[in-house]
Amino acid sequence: MRIITGEYKGRQFDVPRSFKARPTTDFAKENIFNVLKGYMDFEDATALDLFSGTGSISLELVSRGCQQVVSVEADRDHHAFIKQCLKKLGTDRCVALRGDVFRFIKGCRQQFDFIFADPPYALKELPTIPDLIFEKQMLKDDGVFVFEHGKDYDFSQHPHFVEHRSYGSVNFSLFTSHLSL
C-alpha cells in the first residue's frame, strides 16, 4: 500500500497477508482523487474515512493536507495497523477510532468537508449509508461524499448524487451536500 501524492508521497506500508480488508487499488485511488480535484481542495479540509480497513484513504488524505482526518474501523488488527502507520508518519492530524461505523454515525455531531466510505460490498446495510450521511447532516456546505461499492448498486436516483465512476471492479458514487436539480 502506498501514498500516491502530497507530503508523504511514495511512502509504502506492508499490509499483513492475514488482513480481510481489500484496500482500494492504487489505480482506483489515484483516479478518484484526480476526479476529486474538480470538486474540492483537500488543503486544510476536515475528512472522515468510514470502514477504513488498512487506512489507505486516511493516509492519503493526511498526505494531501487535510487538517483533520477521522478514521473509523471496527476490526482490532486493522485499527492497530492504521495507528502504526500514523505513528511511522509522525502525524497527529488523523484520529483513528476503533468502533462500529453505524454507532459512530448515530452519535456524530461533527460536519466534514469530505467523507469517504468503503464498506464491505456484502454488507446488508450498504444501500442505507448515503441516506444516513445526509440525514445526520454530516457534510458541510460544498462537502463531498465518496461511496465505494460493488457493481450491483446504482445510486443515481439519490437526490445528492452527482456522478459515478468505475475502475475495474471498483465503483464510486459521488454525492454533494447540494440537492441535485
Side-chain angles (χ1 to χ4, degrees):
M1 175 178 84
R2 75 178 172 94
I3 297 175
I4 295 167
T5 198
E7 181 180 354
Y8 303 109
K9 178 181 180 175
R11 294 286 296 267
Q12 295 200 32
F13 301 91
D14 293 326
V15 178
R17 293 190 187 279
S18 61
F19 275 20
K20 299 175 292 268
R22 48 156 180 74
T24 303
T25 64
D26 283 354
F27 176 75
K29 184 168 62 169
E30 187 166 5
N31 280 288
I32 196 63
F33 273 99
N34 284 339
V35 169
L36 289 168
K37 285 180 190 173
Y39 285 93
M40 66 176 297
D41 180 7
F42 289 99
E43 194 70 33
D44 297 326
T46 56
L48 174 63
D49 182 10
L50 299 171
F51 305 96
S52 300
T54 61
S56 173
I57 299 297
S58 293
L59 298 174
E60 192 70 39
L61 291 166
V62 168
S63 185
R64 289 172 184 258
C66 286
Q67 73 173 6
Q68 182 197 29
V69 178
V70 176
S71 173
V72 183
E73 172 56 45
D75 184 274
R76 181 188 71 225
D77 294 335
H78 296 182
H79 173 258
F81 179 76
I82 294 167
K83 290 186 73 142
Q84 178 185 32
C85 292
L86 292 168
K87 188 174 182 181
K88 285 180 183 174
L89 293 180
T91 184
D92 62 355
R93 290 184 287 134
C94 182
V95 177
L97 302 176
R98 182 171 168 239
D100 177 77
V101 164
F102 295 99
R103 266 197 177 136
F104 176 85
I105 290 171
K106 187 177 180 181
C108 184
R109 303 282 181 262
Q110 183 177 356
Q111 287 189 314
F112 299 90
D113 297 298
F114 178 74
I115 299 174
F116 186 93
D118 179 12
Y121 289 0
L123 185 73
K124 70 178 177 18
E125 299 93 347
L126 185 146
T128 69
I129 294 170
D131 286 337
L132 292 173
I133 297 293
F134 290 102
E135 285 167 11
K136 289 291 292 178
Q137 299 177 346
M138 294 175 71
L139 272 183
K140 292 180 182 177
D141 289 343
D142 298 323
V144 177
F145 169 43
V146 173
F147 192 41
E148 184 174 335
H149 55 83
K151 66 180 179 353
D152 297 333
Y153 293 97
D154 178 5
F155 294 96
S156 61
Q157 298 306 306
H158 193 281
H160 293 276
F161 176 86
V162 287
E163 73 174 288
H164 173 263
R165 295 292 177 120
S166 177
Y167 306 105
S169 62
V170 180
N171 289 267
F172 296 104
S173 289
L174 282 73
F175 304 83
T176 65
S177 50
H178 297 295
L179 291 172
S180 301
L181 300 176

